[in-house]
Amino acid sequence: GAVVSQHPSRVICKSGTSVKIECRSLDFQATTMFWYRQFPKQSLMLMATSNEGSKATYEQGVEKDKFLINHASLTLSTLTVTSAHPEDSSFYICSALGGGTDTQYFGPGTRLTVL
Amino acid sequence: KQEVTQIPAALSVPEGENLVLNCSFTDSAIYNLQWFRQDPGKGLTSLLLIQSSQREQTSGRLNASLDKSSGRSTLYIAASQPGDSATYLCAVIMNTPLVFGKGTRLSVIA
């Protein structure tokens, strides 16, 4: 089956630094990838839709200058949290649309902790 | 705006019990509905995908039903095991991004 990986799985950083999270589709090409965020005991919330070769589409309330998304190839999308603050601490999950279907394949997630 | 609600928020059952998790959605114009499992600190594992034209899907001890007209889906788990302990998320697909419920946290006690 289709596999999506994320790196790193866990990151701890100091307030004010930037953190990059990678999302890769390992055995298929994904023209569209999604980034979600999940706070403790809350549902997953879509942050942005990333299309290969074009600018990401952000959901209302998500700061595009703070959460930089780059989808430079058909197998890689990156999310950079710039000038991270403790309130950005969360679980970030990506998913990818693959194989010409509507099925989304999810990555294992990245736990970000900002001190 | 689509809203997805899952009841109960948490459930604790003894091992071996059959149980039902509920999911309701406000807009019945969905393409598909998907049930996921999430273990603490982990990503999502897709359990069952029900297309809008289907009424149910089965995988092993899991059975998911869909009643689009009433905006409801249920996930039935037979003969529950401690390894089933996790959070179960329901998500509806109206367009490619999913709309998720908050999940039901299940604990199966040995």
Side-chain angles (χ1 to χ4, degrees), chain B residues 26-43:
Chain B
T26 55
D27 187 339
S28 62
I30 66 170
Y31 294 160
N32 302 313
L33 184 142
Q34 199 164 358
W35 283 92
F36 295 90
R37 169 185 173 139
Q38 185 177 28
D39 292 287
K42 304 292 185 182

PDB file of all heavy atoms in Angstrom, chain B residues 26-43:
ATOM      1  N   THR B  26     -23.581  16.976   9.625  1.00  0.00           N
ATOM      2  CA  THR B  26     -24.705  17.885   9.389  1.00  0.00           C
ATOM      3  C   THR B  26     -25.078  18.024   7.920  1.00  0.00           C
ATOM      4  O   THR B  26     -26.232  18.288   7.601  1.00  0.00           O
ATOM      5  CB  THR B  26     -24.386  19.271   9.965  1.00  0.00           C
ATOM      6  OG1 THR B  26     -23.142  19.731   9.412  1.00  0.00           O
ATOM      7  CG2 THR B  26     -24.278  19.217  11.479  1.00  0.00           C
ATOM      8  N   ASP B  27     -24.118  17.841   7.035  1.00  0.00           N
ATOM      9  CA  ASP B  27     -24.388  17.985   5.607  1.00  0.00           C
ATOM     10  C   ASP B  27     -24.271  16.617   4.943  1.00  0.00           C
ATOM     11  O   ASP B  27     -23.190  16.029   4.934  1.00  0.00           O
ATOM     12  CB  ASP B  27     -23.386  18.968   4.987  1.00  0.00           C
ATOM     13  CG  ASP B  27     -23.706  19.316   3.538  1.00  0.00           C
ATOM     14  OD1 ASP B  27     -24.434  18.543   2.873  1.00  0.00           O
ATOM     15  OD2 ASP B  27     -23.215  20.357   3.060  1.00  0.00           O
ATOM     16  N   SER B  28     -25.380  16.134   4.418  1.00  0.00           N
ATOM     17  CA  SER B  28     -25.389  14.767   3.886  1.00  0.00           C
ATOM     18  C   SER B  28     -24.768  14.655   2.486  1.00  0.00           C
ATOM     19  O   SER B  28     -24.634  13.562   1.954  1.00  0.00           O
ATOM     20  CB  SER B  28     -26.821  14.234   3.846  1.00  0.00           C
ATOM     21  OG  SER B  28     -27.608  15.030   2.988  1.00  0.00           O
ATOM     22  N   ALA B  29     -24.367  15.787   1.910  1.00  0.00           N
ATOM     23  CA  ALA B  29     -23.783  15.757   0.558  1.00  0.00           C
ATOM     24  C   ALA B  29     -22.308  15.384   0.628  1.00  0.00           C
ATOM     25  O   ALA B  29     -21.435  16.187   0.300  1.00  0.00           O
ATOM     26  CB  ALA B  29     -23.971  17.110  -0.118  1.00  0.00           C
ATOM     27  N   ILE B  30     -22.049  14.175   1.066  1.00  0.00           N
ATOM     28  CA  ILE B  30     -20.663  13.732   1.205  1.00  0.00           C
ATOM     29  C   ILE B  30     -20.305  12.770   0.094  1.00  0.00           C
ATOM     30  O   ILE B  30     -21.169  12.141  -0.513  1.00  0.00           O
ATOM     31  CB  ILE B  30     -20.430  13.051   2.580  1.00  0.00           C
ATOM     32  CG1 ILE B  30     -21.230  11.747   2.670  1.00  0.00           C
ATOM     33  CG2 ILE B  30     -20.782  14.001   3.717  1.00  0.00           C
ATOM     34  CD1 ILE B  30     -20.876  10.904   3.885  1.00  0.00           C
ATOM     35  N   TYR B  31     -19.011  12.669  -0.172  1.00  0.00           N
ATOM     36  CA  TYR B  31     -18.537  11.689  -1.146  1.00  0.00           C
ATOM     37  C   TYR B  31     -18.309  10.341  -0.475  1.00  0.00           C
ATOM     38  O   TYR B  31     -18.759   9.301  -0.925  1.00  0.00           O
ATOM     39  CB  TYR B  31     -17.231  12.150  -1.781  1.00  0.00           C
ATOM     40  CG  TYR B  31     -17.339  13.386  -2.643  1.00  0.00           C
ATOM     41  CD1 TYR B  31     -16.225  14.149  -2.945  1.00  0.00           C
ATOM     42  CD2 TYR B  31     -18.558  13.809  -3.165  1.00  0.00           C
ATOM     43  CE1 TYR B  31     -16.306  15.279  -3.729  1.00  0.00           C
ATOM     44  CE2 TYR B  31     -18.651  14.940  -3.941  1.00  0.00           C
ATOM     45  CZ  TYR B  31     -17.525  15.673  -4.219  1.00  0.00           C
ATOM     46  OH  TYR B  31     -17.611  16.795  -4.997  1.00  0.00           O
ATOM     47  N   ASN B  32     -17.553  10.405   0.611  1.00  0.00           N
ATOM     48  CA  ASN B  32     -17.190   9.186   1.340  1.00  0.00           C
ATOM     49  C   ASN B  32     -17.128   9.495   2.826  1.00  0.00           C
ATOM     50  O   ASN B  32     -17.125  10.659   3.241  1.00  0.00           O
ATOM     51  CB  ASN B  32     -15.803   8.670   0.913  1.00  0.00           C
ATOM     52  CG  ASN B  32     -15.712   8.382  -0.556  1.00  0.00           C
ATOM     53  OD1 ASN B  32     -16.586   7.750  -1.133  1.00  0.00           O
ATOM     54  ND2 ASN B  32     -14.646   8.857  -1.181  1.00  0.00           N
ATOM     55  N   LEU B  33     -17.057   8.438   3.621  1.00  0.00           N
ATOM     56  CA  LEU B  33     -16.825   8.577   5.052  1.00  0.00           C
ATOM     57  C   LEU B  33     -15.735   7.588   5.437  1.00  0.00           C
ATOM     58  O   LEU B  33     -15.710   6.458   4.943  1.00  0.00           O
ATOM     59  CB  LEU B  33     -18.118   8.310   5.838  1.00  0.00           C
ATOM     60  CG  LEU B  33     -18.028   8.522   7.347  1.00  0.00           C
ATOM     61  CD1 LEU B  33     -19.325   9.138   7.876  1.00  0.00           C
ATOM     62  CD2 LEU B  33     -17.721   7.231   8.084  1.00  0.00           C
ATOM     63  N   GLN B  34     -14.852   8.025   6.295  1.00  0.00           N
ATOM     64  CA  GLN B  34     -13.704   7.191   6.638  1.00  0.00           C
ATOM     65  C   GLN B  34     -13.559   7.122   8.154  1.00  0.00           C
ATOM     66  O   GLN B  34     -13.713   8.134   8.843  1.00  0.00           O
ATOM     67  CB  GLN B  34     -12.446   7.795   5.995  1.00  0.00           C
ATOM     68  CG  GLN B  34     -11.267   6.865   5.869  1.00  0.00           C
ATOM     69  CD  GLN B  34     -10.217   7.398   4.886  1.00  0.00           C
ATOM     70  OE1 GLN B  34     -10.403   8.449   4.267  1.00  0.00           O
ATOM     71  NE2 GLN B  34      -9.129   6.675   4.734  1.00  0.00           N
ATOM     72  N   TRP B  35     -13.264   5.941   8.643  1.00  0.00           N
ATOM     73  CA  TRP B  35     -12.956   5.742  10.060  1.00  0.00           C
ATOM     74  C   TRP B  35     -11.453   5.499  10.199  1.00  0.00           C
ATOM     75  O   TRP B  35     -10.854   4.721   9.436  1.00  0.00           O
ATOM     76  CB  TRP B  35     -13.721   4.545  10.618  1.00  0.00           C
ATOM     77  CG  TRP B  35     -15.163   4.829  10.904  1.00  0.00           C
ATOM     78  CD1 TRP B  35     -16.230   4.640  10.069  1.00  0.00           C
ATOM     79  CD2 TRP B  35     -15.709   5.349  12.128  1.00  0.00           C
ATOM     80  NE1 TRP B  35     -17.392   5.008  10.701  1.00  0.00           N
ATOM     81  CE2 TRP B  35     -17.107   5.454  11.958  1.00  0.00           C
ATOM     82  CE3 TRP B  35     -15.150   5.732  13.359  1.00  0.00           C
ATOM     83  CZ2 TRP B  35     -17.957   5.924  12.964  1.00  0.00           C
ATOM     84  CZ3 TRP B  35     -15.991   6.200  14.349  1.00  0.00           C
ATOM     85  CH2 TRP B  35     -17.376   6.289  14.147  1.00  0.00           C
ATOM     86  N   PHE B  36     -10.892   6.152  11.213  1.00  0.00           N
ATOM     87  CA  PHE B  36      -9.469   6.033  11.478  1.00  0.00           C
ATOM     88  C   PHE B  36      -9.249   5.607  12.925  1.00  0.00           C
ATOM     89  O   PHE B  36     -10.093   5.848  13.794  1.00  0.00           O
ATOM     90  CB  PHE B  36      -8.746   7.380  11.306  1.00  0.00           C
ATOM     91  CG  PHE B  36      -8.757   7.926   9.924  1.00  0.00           C
ATOM     92  CD1 PHE B  36      -9.789   8.758   9.496  1.00  0.00           C
ATOM     93  CD2 PHE B  36      -7.727   7.649   9.048  1.00  0.00           C
ATOM     94  CE1 PHE B  36      -9.793   9.287   8.222  1.00  0.00           C
ATOM     95  CE2 PHE B  36      -7.719   8.175   7.766  1.00  0.00           C
ATOM     96  CZ  PHE B  36      -8.753   8.993   7.352  1.00  0.00           C
ATOM     97  N   ARG B  37      -8.085   5.084  13.143  1.00  0.00           N
ATOM     98  CA  ARG B  37      -7.632   4.795  14.499  1.00  0.00           C
ATOM     99  C   ARG B  37      -6.374   5.613  14.746  1.00  0.00           C
ATOM    100  O   ARG B  37      -5.512   5.736  13.857  1.00  0.00           O
ATOM    101  CB  ARG B  37      -7.331   3.305  14.614  1.00  0.00           C
ATOM    102  CG  ARG B  37      -6.607   2.933  15.887  1.00  0.00           C
ATOM    103  CD  ARG B  37      -6.212   1.486  15.917  1.00  0.00           C
ATOM    104  NE  ARG B  37      -5.378   1.230  17.082  1.00  0.00           N
ATOM    105  CZ  ARG B  37      -5.475   0.155  17.843  1.00  0.00           C
ATOM    106  NH1 ARG B  37      -6.353  -0.792  17.562  1.00  0.00           N
ATOM    107  NH2 ARG B  37      -4.687   0.004  18.885  1.00  0.00           N
ATOM    108  N   GLN B  38      -6.288   6.173  15.940  1.00  0.00           N
ATOM    109  CA  GLN B  38      -5.087   6.911  16.300  1.00  0.00           C
ATOM    110  C   GLN B  38      -4.611   6.447  17.667  1.00  0.00           C
ATOM    111  O   GLN B  38      -5.339   6.571  18.654  1.00  0.00           O
ATOM    112  CB  GLN B  38      -5.329   8.420  16.310  1.00  0.00           C
ATOM    113  CG  GLN B  38      -4.057   9.220  16.556  1.00  0.00           C
ATOM    114  CD  GLN B  38      -4.279  10.710  16.497  1.00  0.00           C
ATOM    115  OE1 GLN B  38      -5.369  11.203  16.776  1.00  0.00           O
ATOM    116  NE2 GLN B  38      -3.257  11.458  16.111  1.00  0.00           N
ATOM    117  N   ASP B  39      -3.406   5.933  17.717  1.00  0.00           N
ATOM    118  CA  ASP B  39      -2.786   5.573  18.978  1.00  0.00           C
ATOM    119  C   ASP B  39      -2.081   6.804  19.541  1.00  0.00           C
ATOM    120  O   ASP B  39      -1.663   7.683  18.780  1.00  0.00           O
ATOM    121  CB  ASP B  39      -1.815   4.415  18.778  1.00  0.00           C
ATOM    122  CG  ASP B  39      -2.548   3.137  18.411  1.00  0.00           C
ATOM    123  OD1 ASP B  39      -3.176   2.573  19.320  1.00  0.00           O
ATOM    124  OD2 ASP B  39      -2.542   2.740  17.236  1.00  0.00           O
ATOM    125  N   PRO B  40      -1.927   6.892  20.852  1.00  0.00           N
ATOM    126  CA  PRO B  40      -1.351   8.106  21.458  1.00  0.00           C
ATOM    127  C   PRO B  40      -0.035   8.511  20.819  1.00  0.00           C
ATOM    128  O   PRO B  40       0.891   7.715  20.726  1.00  0.00           O
ATOM    129  CB  PRO B  40      -1.168   7.695  22.923  1.00  0.00           C
ATOM    130  CG  PRO B  40      -2.212   6.661  23.158  1.00  0.00           C
ATOM    131  CD  PRO B  40      -2.294   5.890  21.868  1.00  0.00           C
ATOM    132  N   GLY B  41       0.035   9.758  20.371  1.00  0.00           N
ATOM    133  CA  GLY B  41       1.256  10.280  19.794  1.00  0.00           C
ATOM    134  C   GLY B  41       1.600   9.749  18.425  1.00  0.00           C
ATOM    135  O   GLY B  41       2.684  10.027  17.901  1.00  0.00           O
ATOM    136  N   LYS B  42       0.694   9.001  17.835  1.00  0.00           N
ATOM    137  CA  LYS B  42       0.971   8.403  16.517  1.00  0.00           C
ATOM    138  C   LYS B  42       0.094   9.014  15.437  1.00  0.00           C
ATOM    139  O   LYS B  42      -0.860   9.737  15.717  1.00  0.00           O
ATOM    140  CB  LYS B  42       0.712   6.887  16.567  1.00  0.00           C
ATOM    141  CG  LYS B  42       1.497   6.156  17.636  1.00  0.00           C
ATOM    142  CD  LYS B  42       2.972   6.145  17.327  1.00  0.00           C
ATOM    143  CE  LYS B  42       3.723   5.297  18.331  1.00  0.00           C
ATOM    144  NZ  LYS B  42       5.188   5.298  18.074  1.00  0.00           N
ATOM    145  N   GLY B  43       0.409   8.697  14.209  1.00  0.00           N
ATOM    146  CA  GLY B  43      -0.402   9.149  13.095  1.00  0.00           C
ATOM    147  C   GLY B  43      -1.659   8.318  12.955  1.00  0.00           C
ATOM    148  O   GLY B  43      -1.935   7.432  13.751  1.00  0.00           O
TER     149      GLY B  43
END
